[in-house]
Every structure is written in C-alpha cells, then in structure tokens.
Amino acid sequence: MDALIMAAAQSLEAGDPISALNRVALRNDAHALALRGIAMAQLGDLARARELLQAAARTFANDEVVERARCIVAEAEIALVSRDLGWSARALDEAREALEAYGDQRNAAHARYLEARLLLLTGRLDDAESLLATLDPDHLPPASRAARELVVAGIAMRRRHAQPARRAFARAEAVAHQIRIPALTMEVASAAHTLDAPVAHLITEGGECPLLLEELEALETSSTLVVDACRHVVRDVHHEISLATRPVLFALARSLSEAWPGDVRRDTLISRAFKTQYADDTHRARLRVEIGRLRAELRGLAEITSTHQGFVLVPQQAATVATLVPPIEDRHNGVLALLADGEAWSSSALAMALGVSQRTVQRSLDTLHAADKVTAHGQGRARRWAILPVPGFPTTLLLPVPYSD
C-alpha cells in the first residue's frame, strides 16, 4: 500500500474520517474504496458506506483474501448499526475464519466482537458472554476494546448486576479517554449515565418509589416477596416462579401484591384479570378456578387466603411483599425498548430481536404510530421505524431476559 492509503487508514483509526477522505476521495482502487466506505460509515452515511465496501470487495483480486474478508467484517458492522439483523451471519463466520487462517488476529477478534453484539441485541446473554470469554481484548483495536466493555456492561445490566456494569463502564471510559475519539467518549458517557437513572418503580405498603439498578439488585437478595411486572415472575430470595405465559395468573398475583397486607375484592380481581366490568356467576366461578391455579403455582412462596370480601396474599417465608413495575407501562414496552437506542429499525429486525412474528410487531408499530410515539420513513422493505429515547430511565432494561428451564 502507498503512503496515502496508510495515512488514510491511520486517520480512520484515530476517528478522523474527513482527513481520510481528503486523501482517497478521488481514487477508485480497491483499498481506497474500502477506506472511503469506512469513512462514510463513521460520518453516518451507512447506505453509501455499504455500497463502497461491496465495490471494494468485488475489486480486490481473488488472491487478496484478507482484504476481502476485512470488507465483509466492515459491512457486517454497518448492518448491525443499521439494525439489519437478517444480514448473513455465515458470511461473517467465513470472513473471520479467513482472517484467522491468514494471521490477522486483530480483525478476526473484531468479527467475534460483532457476533457478541448481535447476541446481546437479541437477548442471548449466555451465548454473548461465552463468546466474549474466548475473545482476547489485546487483539482488538483500541476503539473496539472500549466497545467490547460496553457489551460487557450491557450483559451485566440486563442481568441486573450493577457493580460489574460500573467496572466495565470505567474500563471503557479509560480506553476512550486514552485514544481521544470524541464520538466514542460521548457514546461511553451516555451509556454509563443509564446507571444513574431509575430502572423500575417499587410499590410497597408505604407507597411507590423509583429504584436505581443497585437498589433493584439489593431487593433481589432481601427478605421480600416480589411480584415483578417487568419480567412477569414472582420470587423471593430462594424461589422464582415465572408467569410469563400465564397472564391471567400474573394479573391476579399483581393485584394481590399491590393491595398487601389488605385483601382485594372479588369484583376487582375479575375486572383486572378478565378485562371486564360486568361480573356474573360464570366470572366468579372462573375466578375460583384461576385462584386455585395460582395457589398451586405459588406453593412454597405464598398462600392465597379467602376473606369475606375477596382474597389476600400471605407470604410463607418473606417478611414483606412488594410489586416491581416498569418506569413506564405500555403494552408495547419491548418494541419501545429496542427503538429507544435511537437507531432506525425495520419491523423484521424488531421481530427477530423480540422473538415474535413480524405481523405482531407491525401491529404494535401501527398502534404506537397512531399514538405519536414512533416515526417511520421509507416505503416497503426500506421502511424504518425510530423513536427518540425517553429521558429519565434506561429503556433497554425493560427487555426480558430469557429464562432457562
């Protein structure tokens, strides 16, 4: 490579795409096309960046395996940033294997880091953590080392582990300040700020209050029976029962926990669990059946005792009862949580990340759009949805974490 190409590459690594373009903007050889593509990506023109990288990959000779593999890795990163989750993961694997075979450990490690980011984005935390464990940070360029720590922090936050997240953010900030890339420094600072925002609200006998991540983590180890409306589980320090697939039972459990230590009238339970304002004998009979099912689910955690007016929740081992709710409650919290990262998402990418059908996501988007909560641009397959992040709390913490059987 000539001196201009080397100088442009150094400018890009330092986070200065304008200087890089000044050196290679008028050149159409393969290396220049690749560098122009990366520069355009840093400037935010992802569509043009993708075109240039694809052109570079076609222009490189057949024996320039490493150079073509690097273009594929760069294109995969653009696809991830633009939330094109349907991009070929196999192509990225093949590019990584080629880089490893030819000794380019730095870019091979970057390819693994991109895989970990995708796994985090789609909620596969165990897989992401296992992949990061095999990744040597020393093989990553400095900017990617900082970004890797953001993935580590993201995994910790999704698992509600505050201190590991703070340590990861501190490492990311140290690297960002060392390499002095303003955009990266701002990204790390913005992500770290989420640790100082409320992640949930706690409803107890004494009222309602917001919780920080550290406080939420402490709650999980306290002698409190928690009905968690963020993840639809009921738990104490020893047991956890998921009611994510039993919405009626969870609605009953939540109603009982919010009223603790008092009872809840039968008509109120029928209204909240069955979504009806008119209770008749069939509803009361169904309520008795569902209460029996909830008793069976909560065996070992709590009893449900009948009273003259209704039912009351009685914890068996915990000293108190609390209800944990999201900072903002919306039927479409999952979609809002993903859109709140500020990126433009397709409905297919949202469906892939949430593990639901694209039609389900489209109905949610239509509802949110009608309520002026999301915006859309483009038509057909190019249609993308976006939202400005809701200030005051980290919406990504609303995303559920898959539970093992």
Side-chain angles (χ1 to χ4, degrees):
M1 288 185 287
D2 57 49
L4 280 178
I5 294 294
M6 292 294 295
Q10 291 171 356
S11 296
L12 288 176
E13 188 170 0
D16 186 1
I18 299 300
S19 295
L21 285 175
N22 285 338
R23 292 178 170 87
V24 296
L26 301 180
R27 294 177 52 167
N28 289 312
D29 56 284
H31 287 98
L33 287 172
L35 293 175
R36 285 167 58 192
I38 296 172
M40 295 307 295
Q42 290 187 4
L43 291 172
D45 191 346
L46 301 182
R48 180 58 178 157
R50 206 164 187 175
E51 292 174 1
L52 289 166
L53 288 167
Q54 290 172 347
R58 292 192 299 268
T59 306
F60 279 117
N62 290 335
D63 60 344
E64 293 179 298
V65 177
V66 172
E67 287 78 5
R68 289 193 322 206
R70 290 172 180 169
C71 289
I72 292 172
V73 172
E75 188 182 351
E77 184 164 18
I78 291 172
L80 185 63
V81 171
S82 59
R83 299 303 185 254
D84 180 7
L85 304 189
W87 194 84
S88 175
R90 181 178 179 181
L92 181 60
D93 284 339
E94 292 175 350
R96 176 183 52 77
E97 291 171 358
L99 292 168
E100 289 175 343
Y102 281 85
D104 188 354
Q105 298 301 326
R106 184 174 185 174
N107 284 295
H110 187 66
R112 285 192 178 275
Y113 150 72
L114 294 178
E115 293 177 29
R117 279 183 62 187
L118 178 60
L119 292 170
L120 172 61
L121 195 61
T122 54
R124 297 162 60 186
L125 305 187
D126 290 339
D127 293 337
E129 193 169 50
S130 297
L131 186 59
L132 287 179
T134 67
L135 181 59
D136 186 355
D138 293 337
H139 288 155
L140 288 170
S144 294
R145 285 204 301 274
R148 175 190 178 277
E149 296 300 339
L150 294 183
V151 176
V152 173
I155 293 172
M157 291 176 68
R158 291 278 288 275
R159 286 180 169 161
R160 302 178 175 182
H161 296 161
Q163 291 309 310
R166 287 196 182 277
R167 290 193 293 269
F169 280 132
R171 293 192 296 269
E173 288 176 344
V175 175
H177 285 302
Q178 180 181 0
I179 59 180
R180 297 180 181 178
I181 298 178
L184 180 61
T185 302
M186 291 177 61
E187 180 183 0
V188 172
S190 177
H193 180 67
T194 60
L195 283 175
D196 299 319
V199 299
H201 283 191
L202 186 68
I203 302 173
T204 62
E205 182 184 3
E208 182 176 345
C209 64
L211 290 183
L212 299 180
L213 187 59
E214 284 92 348
E215 295 169 329
L216 178 56
E217 188 177 10
L219 176 68
E220 295 182 344
T221 59
S222 67
S223 59
T224 302
L225 177 67
V226 179
V227 177
D228 187 344
C230 298
R231 299 186 176 179
H232 295 89
V233 300
V234 181
R235 65 170 183 269
D236 63 13
V237 71
H238 301 295
H239 305 89
E240 179 173 288
I241 304 297
S242 175
L243 298 177
T245 60
R246 310 290 295 275
V248 171
L249 298 190
F250 185 79
L252 292 172
R254 177 173 175 176
S255 297
L256 293 168
S257 70
E258 288 180 353
W260 186 88
D263 61 355
V264 184
R265 293 175 56 88
R266 288 174 176 84
D267 289 350
T268 302
L269 290 172
I270 289 172
S271 175
R272 295 192 64 176
F274 306 148
K275 309 299 182 185
T276 180
Q277 298 298 321
Y278 304 99
D280 56 24
D281 289 341
T282 61
H283 291 109
R284 295 185 184 94
R286 184 185 174 192
L287 177 62
R288 288 193 295 271
V289 172
E290 298 296 349
I291 287 291
R293 290 171 176 166
L294 184 58
R295 283 192 180 112
E297 291 287 343
L298 299 185
R299 187 173 292 117
L301 280 173
E303 290 285 348
I304 301 175
T305 304
S306 62
T307 66
H308 178 69
Q309 292 185 328
F311 296 92
V312 63
L313 187 68
V314 181
Q316 290 185 294
Q317 300 183 36
T320 58
V321 176
T323 309
L324 194 67
V325 299
I328 293 179
E329 292 200 75
D330 192 289
R331 287 181 54 210
H332 313 290
N333 268 347
V335 173
L336 289 173
L338 289 172
L339 291 177
D341 64 2
E343 302 293 348
W345 288 71
S346 67
S347 59
S348 59
L350 288 168
M352 186 180 300
L354 292 171
V356 299
S357 71
Q358 188 171 347
R359 183 60 191 140
T360 298
V361 168
Q362 191 61 55
R363 285 194 293 266
S364 295
L365 290 170
D366 289 342
T367 302
L368 292 169
H369 188 257
D372 294 327
K373 294 183 178 180
V374 300
T375 59
H377 59 85
Q379 298 293 328
R381 291 181 178 273
R383 192 171 181 82
R384 295 294 183 269
W385 299 84
I387 186 176
L388 291 175
V390 179
F393 68 93
T395 49
T396 51
L397 292 180
L398 299 177
L399 290 170
V401 174
Y403 287 90
S404 57
D405 295 332

